[in-house]
């Protein structure tokens, strides 16, 4: 739905909206907001709402603090759980009227323009998994699940079913088209799939989705987490990202005359993704904890390969053809910043197209059952095994800096290097349990 300034003001008046949350994200994907009263709405719609950017991690220094929020009018929606409250997703602008390139949404917009200049538009369909855990008597989160269910199970074993239902109803009220909702493979794990969309709307939807899930979990006396691997020994949560390019109203990945029904554009896009995916991993899997999900045996990809059927690969092309032809990147997890993750995926694919890259042969083998020697013989590499290694790959690939821009690149790298240092010098409970009395 497309709104004008007058539409937003009219709806706000009709709904008796008293508060508006002007939302944006920092470079690590954390949702932020500035709340204003109804009397300030027209000022915000005139792009006159200023905030202190120095207070946001990774934005600007204290002497560069003034920044402006420019609302995306089409993102206006009333929050179902907040009386007389609405939200607008905003782009961040500098005082000179230029887009602030430390804003992840602006980074994605820049790559979208590059695709448009090449004649393409980009659609994305993320699949977000999450866990629902119990709270303790003080209202603090635990890692105790509220069910013993598995894939597609229904109540009474799935005590999160009512919570999931509330989430779906709220999302639909906010304009989401929910395609499926079900229990995932691990105890306490869930998935809600919403329809693919233009990549900017898809990234906005991920941020909104996570906010809604957390909100309704608390309303149901539960804690929702998008932490990739909260419990040892069971599957972690992923955010498989389905991607397709459109050109002249047609799916540019589909060619009925080509082998596998995949166009030359699709093959080049896959090649670009595989070329840059190791550096992209630092953004798609941004936490120390992310790499405890990316291990063999838990359905998450480990090796840089592609296939039209094999679910052990990194890039999978699902069976649908025609307008449904798409490429699915299976490594990202829902802790990532969706704007940066999708910007890098699109830019990598475009790089493959611009340079007419050719992907390696697809594989039908079960990669988890192959030895290291067999993998090397087939030319199959592996993803980074730690955040530190991923950051090394991030620094090695000039494409990453070019896509993210100097500001986001340097601030992201600085923040994540610090995170790794904090983790690697911390003494864990596991170390105390294993070493304190033994040595």
């Amino acid at each position: 739905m497309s709104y004008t300034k007058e539409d937003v003001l009219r709806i706000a008046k009709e709904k008796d909206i008293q508060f508006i949350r002007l939302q944006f994200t920092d470079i690590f994907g954390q949702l932020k907001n500035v709340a204003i009263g109804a009397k300030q709405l027209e000022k915000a719609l005139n792009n006159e709402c200023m905030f202190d950017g120095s207070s946001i991690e990774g934005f600007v220094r204290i002497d560069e603090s003034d920044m402006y929020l420019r609302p995306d009018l089409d993102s206006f929606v009333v929050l179902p759980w907040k009386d007389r409250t609405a939200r607008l997703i905003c782009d961040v602008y500098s005082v000179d009227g230029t887009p602030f390139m430390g804003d992840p949404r602006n980074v994605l917009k820049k790559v979208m323009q590059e695709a448009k200049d090449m004649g393409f538009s980009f659609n994305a369909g993320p699949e977000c998994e999450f866990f629902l855990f119990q709270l303790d008597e003080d209202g603090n989160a635990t890692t105790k699940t509220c069910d013993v269910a598995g894939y597609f199970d229904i109540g009474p074993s799935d005590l999160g079913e009512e919570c999931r239902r509330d989430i779906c109803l709220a999302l639909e009220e906010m304009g989401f088209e929910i395609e499926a909702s079900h229990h995932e493979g691990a105890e306490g794990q869930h998935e809600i799939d919403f329809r693919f969309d233009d990549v900017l709307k898809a990234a906005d939807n991920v941020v909104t989705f996570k906010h809604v899930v957390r909100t309704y979990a608390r309303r149901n006396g539960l804690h929702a987490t998008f932490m990739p691997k909260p419990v040892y020994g069971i599957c972690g949560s992923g955010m498989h990202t389905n991607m397709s390019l459109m050109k002249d109203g047609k799916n540019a990945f589909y060619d009925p005359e080509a082998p596998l029904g995949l166009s030359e554009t699709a093959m080049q896009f896959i090649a670009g993704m595989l070329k840059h995916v190791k550096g992209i991993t630092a953004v798609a899997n941004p936490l120390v904890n992310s790499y405890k999900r990316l291990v063999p045996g838990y359905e998450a990809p480990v090796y840089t390969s592609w296939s039209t059927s094999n679910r052990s690969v990194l890039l999978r092309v699902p069976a649908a053809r025609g307008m449904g032809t798409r490429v699915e990147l299976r490594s990202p997890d829902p802790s990532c910043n969706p704007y940066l993750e999708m910007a890098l995926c699109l830019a990598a694919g475009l790089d493959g197209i611009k340079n007419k890259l050719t992907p390696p042969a697809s594989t039908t083998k079960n990669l988890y059952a192959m030895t290291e020697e067999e993998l090397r013989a087939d030319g199959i590499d592996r993803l980074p095994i730690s955040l530190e290694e991923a950051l090394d790959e991030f620094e090695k690939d000039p494409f990453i800096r070019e896509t993210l821009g100097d500001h986001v690149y340097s601030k992201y790298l600085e923040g994540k290097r610090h995170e790794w240092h904090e983790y690697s010098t911390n003494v864990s409970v596991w170390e105390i349990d294993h070493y304190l009395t033994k040595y």
Side-chain angles (χ1 to χ4, degrees), residues 274-301:
L274 290 174
K275 175 183 176 182
H276 298 295
V277 73
K278 291 172 78 171
I280 291 172
T281 300
V283 171
N285 307 95
L287 308 183
V288 167
N289 181 258
S290 297
Y291 299 86
K292 297 181 180 181
R293 167 181 167 259
L294 297 179
V295 294
Y298 291 99
E299 301 185 14

Side-chain angles (χ1 to χ4, degrees), residues 167-355:
I167 292 167
C168 289
L169 292 174
L171 289 169
E172 287 180 336
E173 193 173 336
M174 296 176 74
F176 280 65
E177 184 177 333
I178 303 300
E179 294 189 327
S181 163
H182 61 87
H183 198 285
E184 260 294 330
E187 294 179 7
Q189 190 181 34
H190 303 264
E191 181 177 320
I192 297 173
D193 297 328
F194 43 90
R195 191 178 187 275
F196 73 90
D197 216 319
D198 161 83
V199 65
L200 184 64
K201 182 68 180 297
D204 287 343
N205 283 345
V206 171
V207 174
T208 298
F209 174 80
K210 291 161 75 171
H211 183 47
V212 172
V213 168
R214 291 192 187 100
T215 298
Y216 277 87
R218 281 285 168 166
R219 288 166 69 93
N220 280 268
L222 300 168
H223 174 74
T225 183
F226 292 92
M227 180 179 176
K229 184 85 168 186
V231 180
Y232 170 75
I234 62 176
C235 292
S237 291
M239 191 185 81
H240 299 169
T241 305
N242 294 274
M243 302 169 282
S244 60
L245 282 176
M246 302 295 292
K247 189 169 191 176
D248 300 326
K250 298 179 181 179
N251 190 320
F253 284 173
Y254 178 57
D255 181 352
E257 305 301 321
L260 306 175
L262 297 177
S263 68
E264 184 178 48
T265 296
M267 300 299 281
Q268 292 169 347
F269 190 96
I270 290 169
M273 285 292 304
L274 290 174
K275 175 183 176 182
H276 298 295
V277 73
K278 291 172 78 171
I280 291 172
T281 300
V283 171
N285 307 95
L287 308 183
V288 167
N289 181 258
S290 297
Y291 299 86
K292 297 181 180 181
R293 167 181 167 259
L294 297 179
V295 294
Y298 291 99
E299 301 185 14
V302 178
Y303 303 105
T304 57
S305 55
W306 76 280
S307 174
T308 56
S309 58
N310 189 343
R311 288 181 181 268
S312 68
V313 295
L314 175 69
L315 279 169
R316 186 175 78 94
V317 181
R321 290 296 179 267
M323 289 298 284
T325 309
R326 62 193 187 274
V327 174
E328 177 192 43
L329 180 64
R330 298 174 59 80
S331 57
D333 66 59
S335 69
C336 75
N337 183 327
Y339 299 105
L340 299 184
E341 182 251 349
M342 293 181 194
L344 286 167
C345 287
L346 173 55
L350 294 178
D351 182 61
I353 294 168
K354 286 184 290 187
N355 292 291

Side-chain angles (χ1 to χ4, degrees), residues 383-398:
L383 290 175
I385 62 172
S386 69
L387 179 59
E388 181 184 40
E389 188 175 311
L391 292 171
D392 290 343
E393 295 292 342
F394 182 90
E395 282 194 277
K396 272 194 241 176
D397 191 346

